Amino acid sequence: MFLPTIYWQDGKRTKQYLEMLVDDLMTEYNVTQQTSNQGSMELGGNAGKILAKYRRDNGSQHQIEGQIKKSDAALFKDLYTILDSQNMIQTLVGFDDDIWNQLKTGEFLLITGEFKQSPAELVLSSMFDVVEQFKGFFEVASTQDQIQKIELASNIFKYKKVTMLIEPYIEGDHKFFTSLDSNNFVEDKYDLEGEFTILAKIKRVYQPHQKVDLMKLLPGKLSMKKEQLLTILPTLDNENLSFDVGEINEDSFEIKGPAIELTPIAIYQE
């Protein structure tokens, strides 16, 4: 039985794909169960599976009513089951260059590998999460000018997206990456490191000669040169404050193809 532990899920996208695959999709519905001396009659579903909204006793008749609303996790299980039964999922295990070259935009992929956040982004998000959590302490220990600078930096770098790098368990230099909406984490975003599985669609394929810019740090169309960030990051990592990431250099802000950008649906462990 497929019972995954979900760490991140796009519930809206999950429902959209289900609506395309299933006619008259219902995610909410009422159920009623009536019981009499002659036995029970069920209407609309099994009322024993729900928490009854109310219970009514009329002599020899007994009635239970309630409402079922499918959760995002239940909808994801439905979506996975339908895609798998229709052989619409390409599971990438031990594939080679020939299979890689056949992958097309829009295909559903299932990939298991090592997940890690973009290192430069991880340092910045960790720093400003600390600032947000201990904001009161910084306000007491800082001048008004310092407080304003801290608040400005914290608001600018308040991450709505998390860039996730995926190293699949395959031979070769194939890379995958995706951008996750911070609001869709089911668990703490810093727990999403290590071995996980992602169900996603191919958004874009990058060829070996192409470079992928990972500078997705500022909202909208704003951008910051990596040279500017390279002057900021070393000042954050000192003897009083350190980060559990590798060395951050110019290569930390980009990856080289071959690479595939994914549109994520859910990330989980079985």
Side-chain angles (χ1 to χ4, degrees), residues 44-61:
N46 186 351
K49 294 181 180 179
I50 63 169
L51 179 64
K53 296 174 70 174
Y54 63 86
R55 185 169 176 162
R56 185 166 58 205
D57 195 346
N58 182 18
S60 61
Q61 289 190 336

Side-chain angles (χ1 to χ4, degrees), residues 20 34 51 64 81 119 145 154 179 214 219 226 235-236 248 254 267:
M20 297 176 192
Q34 293 181 341
L51 179 64
I64 300 175
T81 301
D145 183 58
S154 181
S179 186
L214 297 178
K226 58 186 177 184
T235 65
L236 299 179
I248 295 177
E254 65 183 25
I267 299 173

Side-chain angles (χ1 to χ4, degrees), residues 8 10 13 111 114-118 121 161-167 175-181 185 192 197-204 206 212-214 216 255 259-267:
W8 183 96
D10 189 329
R13 186 170 288 136
I111 306 167
E114 291 290 324
F115 284 62
K116 63 179 181 180
Q117 191 174 338
S118 175
E121 186 179 297
K161 298 286 186 179
V162 173
T163 303
M164 193 64 59
L165 309 179
I166 306 163
E167 297 180 5
K175 307 176 186 70
F176 297 85
F177 69 99
T178 189
S179 186
L180 307 177
D181 190 322
F185 278 94
L192 191 53
T197 300
I198 182 172
L199 177 64
K201 288 187 77 175
I202 297 177
K203 183 176 182 179
R204 182 175 176 182
Y206 291 84
V212 181
D213 186 5
L214 297 178
K216 298 178 179 179
I255 58 175
I260 287 181
E261 183 176 5
L262 300 171
T263 299
I265 300 171
I267 299 173

Side-chain angles (χ1 to χ4, degrees), residues 47 70 99 108-109 121 126 148 152 216 228 236:
K70 284 204 166 187
I99 295 177
F108 288 98
L109 293 184
E121 186 179 297
S126 299
Q148 291 177 347
L152 176 61
K216 298 178 179 179
Q228 292 175 292
L236 299 179

